[in-house]
Amino acid sequence: MKTLLKLLGVLVVLILGALLFIFSGIYDVSASSPDNGLIAWALRTTQSRSVHRAYEKLEGKVPIPQLDDPELIRTGLVHYHEMCATCHGAPGVKISEIGQGLNPYPPELAAHGAEEPMETFWIVKNGIKMTGMPAFGVTHTDEEIWAIVAFLNRMPKLSPQEYQALVEQSRMVPAGEAPPSEHHHTHAPGTPPHRD
């Protein structure tokens, strides 16, 4: 009984300490000051373990398409160039001022791409809280997200010239079809399409 009371006492002290920390305002939430020490470790570890645990549940249940399919890669390029290059950059494309102002700093994906396809799929689909990484599963189908993963798998092998050439090729429209500005993506049911 005494041990239980001691444990409850410790728990109460920890809760009160956490509440005191939260309401004190001493933790600097500004994006211009990076976290360091114990807080940086706790945030990185929590994120890493959470993502790892979540995507492990998908393995064997969600089929991975052929990530070297040229059409899938082309589709992924279009989505990546429109939505991701701003924060993550691309071959020959620097991270924008928006991306540079994020904390934590977004990874430059042109360097390493999609090292673990299922993990990358989960992150693109679900996003990560408090990082600036949105959940694209809200507006994109699984097929479109896999296309982004396929492109990320290919991107580290592209030179800046090759990347730019692919971007220009993706804007080419066969005769009789509407120009890219009039195309709409197909998104998850119930979500409004956005223009290319």
Side-chain angles (χ1 to χ4, degrees), residues 90-167:
V93 179
K94 292 182 179 180
I95 291 177
S96 73
E97 292 176 348
I98 292 171
Q100 291 175 39
L102 292 176
N103 181 12
Y105 195 76
E108 296 188 43
L109 297 177
H112 54 80
E115 295 176 350
E116 171 50 64
M118 189 60 76
E119 178 182 14
T120 304
F121 171 82
W122 190 92
I123 291 172
V124 174
K125 181 171 182 170
N126 298 285
I128 299 179
K129 292 175 182 176
M130 299 174 68
T131 65
M133 176 63 199
F136 286 114
V138 174
T139 54
H140 290 70
T141 64
D142 283 1
E143 291 77 14
E144 290 170 324
I145 292 170
W146 275 122
I148 295 169
V149 175
F151 175 70
L152 285 172
N153 199 42
R154 175 80 173 92
M155 184 167 58
K157 302 175 185 106
L158 297 175
S159 69
Q161 296 77 17
E162 289 170 325
Y163 177 78
Q164 196 54 48
L166 286 171
V167 169

Side-chain angles (χ1 to χ4, degrees), residues 17-177:
L19 288 172
L20 180 64
F21 176 76
I22 290 167
F23 284 100
S24 70
I26 60 173
Y27 177 68
D28 184 1
V29 297
S30 68
S32 60
S33 59
D35 293 310
N36 48 43
L38 181 62
I39 290 175
W41 174 84
L43 292 173
R44 281 195 309 269
T45 305
T46 300
Q47 174 184 313
S48 174
R49 295 304 308 150
S50 176
V51 170
H52 187 77
R53 182 178 180 191
Y55 84 76
E56 273 189 333
K57 293 178 182 176
L58 298 180
E59 290 181 331
K61 297 177 184 175
V62 175
I64 300 177
Q66 286 295 119
L67 298 179
D68 58 355
D69 177 353
E71 185 59 28
L72 195 66
I73 292 170
R74 190 199 72 75
T75 300
L77 162 74
V78 172
H79 287 286
Y80 183 88
H81 186 71
E82 289 180 350
M83 304 177 312
C84 310
T86 298
C87 292
H88 295 285
V93 179
K94 292 182 179 180
I95 291 177
S96 73
E97 292 176 348
I98 292 171
Q100 291 175 39
L102 292 176
N103 181 12
Y105 195 76
E108 296 188 43
L109 297 177
H112 54 80
E115 295 176 350
E116 171 50 64
M118 189 60 76
E119 178 182 14
T120 304
F121 171 82
W122 190 92
I123 291 172
V124 174
K125 181 171 182 170
N126 298 285
I128 299 179
K129 292 175 182 176
M130 299 174 68
T131 65
M133 176 63 199
F136 286 114
V138 174
T139 54
H140 290 70
T141 64
D142 283 1
E143 291 77 14
E144 290 170 324
I145 292 170
W146 275 122
I148 295 169
V149 175
F151 175 70
L152 285 172
N153 199 42
R154 175 80 173 92
M155 184 167 58
K157 302 175 185 106
L158 297 175
S159 69
Q161 296 77 17
E162 289 170 325
Y163 177 78
Q164 196 54 48
L166 286 171
V167 169
E168 292 304 317
Q169 287 172 15
S170 73
R171 293 179 178 158
M172 294 175 64
V173 181
E177 289 190 19

Side-chain angles (χ1 to χ4, degrees), residues 182-195:
E182 296 178 22
H183 272 247
H184 289 79
H185 293 307
T186 302
H187 294 287
T191 60
H194 68 263
R195 293 186 180 275

